[in-house]
């Protein structure tokens, strides 16, 4: 059963889950409103409420985010699952291209996934301003 996560005071188990090495998915919306779901690596900074995905600047996921009208910023979701544990973070996505933002996201990725990302000169960062978290009741145990 889905449970809303208190992002002001998330359970230690929830935060720990977002530090463990797991493959995640990112869901963006195409222009016609249908979901586009792809596997990604995600890092989560609970203090800033920012989830980060590193990717190529020419990817479809980036194109979907950039195509969102300013009147309706791109809402996205990242999700991970491990056995019966699952968690989703939702929010508004922004594409960052600055070298400092990219380097910071690469460092965070290397820390979570225990290896640096492969070199990519056209890498960008999808930053998600997280405003909603859900998961299952296992994070209450």
């Amino acid at each position: 059963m889905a449970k809303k996560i208190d992002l002001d005071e998330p359970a230690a188990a929830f935060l720990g889950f977002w530090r463990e090495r797991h493959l995640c998915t990112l869901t963006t919306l195409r222009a016609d409103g249908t979901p586009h779901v792809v596997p990604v690596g995600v890092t989560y900074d609970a203090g800033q409420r920012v989830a980060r995905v590193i990717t190529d600047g020419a990817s479809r996921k980036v194109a979907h985010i950039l195509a969102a009208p300013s009147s309706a910023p791109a809402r996205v979701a990242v999700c991970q699952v491990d056995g019966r544990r699952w968690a989703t973070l939702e929010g508004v996505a922004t594409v960052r291209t600055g070298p400092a933002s990219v380097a910071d996201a690469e460092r965070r990725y290397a820390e979570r996934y225990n290896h640096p990302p492969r070199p990519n000169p056209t890498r960008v960062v999808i930053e998600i301003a997280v405003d909603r978290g859900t998961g299952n009741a296992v994070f209450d145990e």
Side-chain angles (χ1 to χ4, degrees), residues 42-63:
V42 176
T43 62
Y44 180 52
D45 180 332
Q48 293 183 17
R49 285 196 190 175
V50 174
R52 292 174 177 85
V53 174
I54 56 175
T55 189
D56 191 276
S59 68
R60 293 303 313 149
K61 53 190 162 286
V62 167

Side-chain angles (χ1 to χ4, degrees), residues 3 6 18 34 36 63-64 67 73 100 110 118 120-121 124 130 132 141:
K3 175 184 183 295
D6 181 352
W18 282 101
T34 59
H36 176 252
H64 296 151
R118 64 176 170 71
N120 181 349
V124 299
V130 175
R132 181 183 173 118
E141 296 173 359

